Every structure is written in C-alpha cells, then in structure tokens.
Amino acid sequence: ARYDIDYRALPSTPSFALDSIARPPEKPTLPGYVAVSATVLSGVFHDPHLRLFYRGLHDKEPVAEVGNSILVYWLDRWPEPGEAASPVAPREIEAHRVLADALLSQQWFDHAVVHYHNYLGHRPDDPGALDGLGTALLGTGAMKEAISTFRRAVALAPENGRAQLNLALTLFDDRQEIAEVLAHARRAVALSPSDPVALVLLARALAVNGEWREAVALAERVVQIDPTDADARELLAQIRAVVG
C-alpha cells in the first residue's frame, strides 16, 4: 500500500494490519506473486488455523527476499500443508474446520474443500462441516458430490434449516425428482418460515409440479415481506404468464 502496489490481503492476525491500510483478506489471483513477512510465516503470533494456512509455504523456495524480512514466492496454486504428525492433536483438527469456514467465506472453494475433508476425516458426523463442504463442492462444480454431502448433513441433523435448504436448492438446480425437492423445501420453510430464499424455492418447485395456487400464495408472501424481492416478483410474472 505504501508504494501504491495493487494487492490482495492474505489472512493474518488483525494486529498486524495498520488501520490506515487495513483490508479484508481475499483469495489471491494465482498463478502470481505472493509476499509474506518472515514473522507471519513463522506463525509465532498466529492462531492455529493461520499457522496451518501458511504451513505449506515452508517447503517452498522464495524467488526474492525484500529487506531481509519479506519473502516473495511465485505460486501456481496455494500449497497445502503436509500431513500432520500422528496422532493429530484436537487443536489441529479444529484448526482445519476454522480455516475451511474462513476460506469458504472468501469463496476459495477448492482450498476450503481440502480442509473440510481433513476435518471430517476426524469428525465425520459434524453436520455443520458437511454443510460447509457441500457448499464448497458446489463452488468447484462438483454438484453430485455436493448433493450426497448435503444428504448426509440432513440425515444427521434434520432440524438444520440451512442444510435442508441447501439440499433442496441443489436438487432443484440438478433437476432431480421434484418430490424430493418439495420435501426438503417444505422442511426448510417450516424451520425458517420467513426465509425468502426458502419460500421462493418452494414456490418454484410447486410451480414445476403444477401446484400454481400455492406457488402464487408463497411468492406473494415473499413480496409482502420484501416488496423489492426480484426473485419473487419474477416468479409471479412467470406464473401469471402461463396460467393467467
């Protein structure tokens, strides 16, 4: 920032960033250059998930060193950390989950998938992590694998409205059996009755199934909640164009 170099910030301990130039972390554009300070790379002041994030760089040779403190790497892709010593400490396992969630929020989907898998290898029945993995898999285009992951999340936690909605959305987008879409969409609405995404999805599924009256009622309900909801208004116009 001092030299007006355009850049994307990598994850770091908040105290490392000056308030005047602080930026939220972003997924870097790779292949490309990555600059990391030796202090950050050491992980001495980092939480476990950030130490895990940078660990893969330990095996890489920098292409330059600036001021004896900034290590510059050319990366084709972000290096994943090597296998941890066995047995794996609980703190290390949890670090994979925290890092996976953070990467998912940055839409760094392929990297998030790796860490969800590492976490679930030790905690296979965590429905929240399975839901996160399914979302990350969707981001990579692996729809079939995402569906099976969402199904497992729902089977473990049928009262998880977000998992029900994610499964219903993915089934609908993949043009799976409409009866299954409806079942999970109805459950999502029952669990989150004011969620406009769930309501519009259920309305769309009902319309596909020819249940126009209920579909219209749900879409109108969304418009009552939020008159600016474009999805609900578009659906209402489509239905009315078909059935009058």
Side-chain angles (χ1 to χ4, degrees):
R2 181 182 179 88
Y3 291 97
D4 295 323
I5 297 171
D6 187 29
Y7 73 100
R8 295 186 176 191
L10 292 172
S12 184
T13 299
S15 60
F16 281 12
L18 298 174
D19 290 341
S20 60
I21 60 170
R23 300 187 185 190
E26 295 182 75
K27 176 183 176 181
T29 300
L30 300 177
Y33 287 106
V34 172
V36 182
S37 79
T39 303
V40 167
L41 192 61
S42 74
V44 64
F45 298 118
H46 278 331
D47 292 332
H49 73 284
L50 289 175
R51 288 199 293 273
L52 183 63
F53 176 78
Y54 287 104
R55 195 166 71 194
L57 284 176
H58 293 175
D59 298 326
K60 297 289 183 182
E61 286 294 325
V63 297
E65 187 173 317
V66 182
N68 296 317
S69 65
I70 306 298
L71 305 176
V72 182
Y73 300 86
W74 175 264
L75 298 178
D76 293 317
R77 65 186 305 275
W78 192 263
E80 302 296 350
E83 291 294 324
S86 186
V88 181
R91 199 176 184 191
E92 172 96 355
I93 296 169
E94 292 302 320
H96 279 289
R97 171 65 190 277
V98 174
L99 180 54
D101 288 344
L103 293 166
L104 180 62
S105 71
Q106 297 167 30
Q107 299 188 333
W108 199 340
F109 298 119
D110 56 338
H111 200 27
V113 166
V114 171
H115 291 283
Y116 278 123
H117 277 308
N118 283 331
Y119 173 80
L120 287 162
H122 301 276
R123 306 279 192 272
D125 295 333
D126 184 328
L130 286 164
D131 187 64
L133 173 59
T135 304
L137 287 165
L138 273 183
T140 69
M143 184 169 281
K144 300 298 184 187
E145 191 177 350
I147 288 172
S148 65
T149 303
F150 285 137
R151 280 183 173 141
R152 178 158 170 72
V154 165
L156 287 165
E159 302 306 305
N160 185 326
R162 188 179 70 173
Q164 292 279 4
L165 177 57
N166 283 339
L167 176 55
L169 283 166
T170 311
L171 291 168
F172 187 78
D173 289 344
D174 198 44
R175 304 193 179 193
Q176 296 282 328
E177 288 291 331
I178 199 66
E180 187 180 7
V181 176
L182 283 168
H184 293 291
R186 286 190 186 281
R187 191 68 188 132
V189 167
L191 292 164
S192 304
S194 298
D195 185 336
V197 176
L199 288 164
V200 170
L201 173 64
L202 178 54
R204 288 190 189 283
L206 288 164
V208 169
N209 207 40
E211 299 176 56
W212 308 109
R213 182 173 297 180
E214 188 179 356
V216 167
L218 285 168
E220 288 177 339
R221 182 170 151 195
V222 175
V223 172
Q224 288 175 350
I225 295 170
D226 180 7
T228 66
D229 192 295
D231 290 334
R233 289 187 167 279
E234 180 185 3
L235 180 58
L236 281 171
Q238 290 171 341
I239 293 173
R240 286 165 180 161
V242 172
V243 300

